[in-house]
Amino acid sequence: MTAPVPNLPDMLRGEGGRLLGWSCLADVALAGLMAQAGFDVVLLDQQHGTYDVATCTAGLTELALAGTPGLVRIAVGDFAMASRMLDVGAAGIVAPMINTEADARALAAATKFPPMGQRSWGPDRAMWFSGLADPQAYLTQANARTMTIAMCETREAIANLHAILRVPGIDGILVGPGDLSIALSNGASFDPTGSAVTEALREIVRTTLAAGKIPCAFAAGPARAREMLQMGFKLASIGYDGVLVADAFGKALAEARG
């Protein structure tokens, strides 16, 4: 390890917004390429991607070597995995379907050390990546430097957003606009860029920033990412690796074929 991985909360609390590389294909080299390309943060997806413990461990190591913070999105309710991913060096955890204050408290319990939570001790790789080799130094700083991000993607989550944001240990919100569009339409449509979702996004940003927390979002492409950063989101994706690679192949083939 040549240098500690940058402190993610400090990065996201700075001026402007940051761009998130979203990796669903459990390929260490691909995650590293996203970091080398210049994404500020890279997320490894266990919920809808193919990442598991071994590939996340390898992927987070690759990202750390590139000096890029890595997030892990766990599967729904898999709070034990959240603790494991922090131990192997994740800069933060993204948890889907956090709909209630009770959900948020369970998530914070798994990701923060006492007295804020109940995270168990075992952060060897996390200590290496952070540059905090002394256990006491890591314990003192870990709760502040690792991010716990609750996904807001349902009507219930929006209704409970104030209560979720008040939970000690919840550092931010990540909006899943696809699921949110399904929820807002009562299952009638998938329209993540529609007016209903956009209106909800603006309100989520305002509420999250007012609570002193960090708003983040999934965006399906560069134009939508720019819109979300302009709304006030501090971190936004531009799609995910499978689509980006397929698009690159398609453009290269179209150029070659004239």
Side-chain angles (χ1 to χ4, degrees), residues 104-105 107-108 112 148-150 164-165 167-173 213:
R105 290 191 180 279
L107 172 60
K112 302 296 185 182
T148 300
I149 302 173
I164 290 169
L165 289 167
V167 172
I170 298 298
D171 301 302
I173 295 293
K213 304 300 177 73

Side-chain angles (χ1 to χ4, degrees), residues 23-28 44-61 71-75 78 81-82 84-85 88 90:
S23 182
C24 290
L25 305 176
D27 188 294
V28 174
L44 310 181
D45 194 347
Q46 294 184 348
Q47 183 192 13
H48 293 304
T50 56
Y51 280 93
D52 56 16
V53 172
T55 51
C56 275
T57 301
L60 290 167
T61 302
L71 293 170
V72 174
R73 179 165 75 163
I74 58 173
D78 196 356
M81 181 64 76
R84 294 190 72 179
M85 291 298 98
V88 298

Side-chain angles (χ1 to χ4, degrees), residues 115-164:
M116 188 176 288
Q118 300 172 2
R119 179 183 167 191
S120 179
W121 184 260
D124 290 345
R125 282 177 176 268
M127 291 169 61
W128 303 338
F129 293 175
S130 67
L132 300 171
D134 176 64
Q136 184 62 46
Y138 182 81
L139 176 63
T140 300
Q141 298 183 42
N143 284 353
R145 69 175 291 128
T146 55
M147 292 194 65
T148 300
I149 302 173
M151 290 195 71
C152 179
E153 48 193 341
T154 66
R155 287 179 180 271
E156 188 178 18
I158 292 175
N160 292 320
L161 186 55
H162 288 280
I164 290 169

